[in-house]
Amino acid sequence: MAAVLQHLSVQPARSSSLDLIKWLAMLTMLMDHLRYLWSDAEWLFVVGRMAFPLFCLGIAANVARSRPGDLYNDGNLRYLGWLMAFAVVSELPYRLLSPMSSTLNVMPTLMLGLLVAWGMHHRDRMSGSMAVAALLIAGVLHSRLMYGAIGVLLPAALLVAISRYHRWWLLPATVAVLANTRNRWLAESSLSLETVAILLTAFATPLLGLWLFRQAWAPRIWAVRRWGYFFYPSHLAALHLVWIAL
């Protein structure tokens, strides 16, 4: 799944700060899912709220680096194809690890978010039609999508913030909070230190990601490339096997 971020840089040269964002996304996602092995570690859920906004930032940056109107190219086709493929591949390991979940795995939300971001960026008839279709699908599947229809809007909100940072930085932070409010764990909990921490983390993560996006880091970081697509279903399956062994 972390390979959603593989096109994160808007510059031709590889950026260490963007590779850092990729690793942060993977690490926080893994920490979130470790709750299935250590159910008492509720703080892992708070940390896990960082993963989704960081993956959405990857989608937004991938779209932002393309020339408006240049939708029809092999790179975009492969990008959408990989997301579609792993939305299907990831469902079984996700269901095995979280059989009580009422939502699909996160990949369909990210895939629909990509289509909406394309519509906002390219603004032609085809991209606009795909964006409208994605929004309609998100509305119909709202209860089944992880982070709901609001989560589908987060890549587009981050895309706006990338191009108009100083005026629009609050937009993705607000969308991230709203997307998290439909989480069943949060909805069933009364106002507490944990729920406040969840919402603050959701609010702060897009801001942190946008800040990192603009930094230049001297140390080189191991790049996350196409292999990252396999990380999402693989780590879900591995955690399920560990859970069985325990």
Side-chain angles (χ1 to χ4, degrees):
M1 177 180 174
V4 169
L5 303 174
Q6 72 176 13
H7 300 298
L8 191 56
S9 177
V10 296
Q11 302 295 332
R14 192 159 203 97
S15 168
S16 292
S17 63
L18 300 179
D19 280 320
L20 176 61
I21 290 173
K22 302 172 190 182
W23 282 106
L24 284 175
M26 287 194 298
L27 177 61
T28 53
M29 178 178 64
L30 177 60
M31 293 178 68
D32 182 26
H33 294 158
L34 285 174
R35 292 181 296 111
Y36 293 102
L37 303 182
W38 294 285
S39 57
D40 293 335
E42 295 182 354
W43 62 273
L44 290 173
F45 184 83
V46 177
V47 175
R49 298 314 91 202
M50 297 180 66
F52 181 68
L54 293 177
F55 283 118
C56 288
L57 177 58
I59 291 175
N62 175 56
V63 174
R65 76 172 188 169
S66 65
R67 186 174 65 254
D70 186 23
L71 175 62
Y72 312 102
N73 59 64
D74 291 341
N76 283 341
L77 181 61
R78 286 194 300 270
Y79 195 37
L80 180 60
W82 280 102
L83 286 175
M84 292 178 65
F86 277 87
V88 176
V89 169
S90 301
E91 186 60 23
L92 177 58
Y94 174 72
R95 195 59 52 194
L96 290 173
L97 184 64
S98 184
M100 301 301 294
S101 175
S102 62
T103 69
L104 302 169
N105 71 83
V106 75
M107 296 296 276
T109 306
L110 294 174
M111 181 184 67
L112 293 173
L114 172 64
L115 296 177
V116 174
W118 274 350
M120 175 171 289
H121 183 68
H122 295 290
R123 299 187 181 184
D124 57 20
R125 180 173 297 180
M126 179 58 70
S127 64
S129 298
M130 289 191 297
V132 170
L135 289 172
L136 290 175
I137 293 172
V140 172
L141 298 180
H142 173 68
S143 62
R144 294 285 291 158
L145 289 174
M146 192 178 295
Y147 298 101
I150 298 175
V152 172
L153 299 175
L154 187 52
L158 283 159
L159 178 63
V160 172
I162 287 173
S163 58
R164 305 171 184 176
Y165 179 66
H166 295 292
R167 288 178 293 174
W168 292 92
W169 60 273
L170 278 175
L171 178 62
T174 303
V175 173
V177 170
L178 292 175
N180 273 274
T181 57
R182 71 173 302 274
N183 185 280
R184 185 180 65 180
W185 188 90
L186 186 65
E188 293 176 353
S189 301
S190 58
L191 185 63
S192 64
L193 182 61
E194 288 77 12
T195 57
V196 171
I198 289 169
L199 296 178
L200 286 177
T201 301
F203 182 86
T205 299
L207 308 183
L208 172 64
L210 289 167
W211 179 79
L212 288 175
F213 185 78
R214 288 166 171 79
Q215 304 309 305
W217 302 90
R220 302 306 301 175
I221 298 174
W222 186 27
V224 178
R225 300 186 185 276
R226 200 171 300 278
W227 60 264
Y229 281 106
F230 295 88
F231 179 80
Y232 183 53
S234 297
H235 93 278
L236 293 175
L239 289 175
H240 175 64
L241 293 176
V242 173
W243 181 82
I244 293 176
L246 294 176

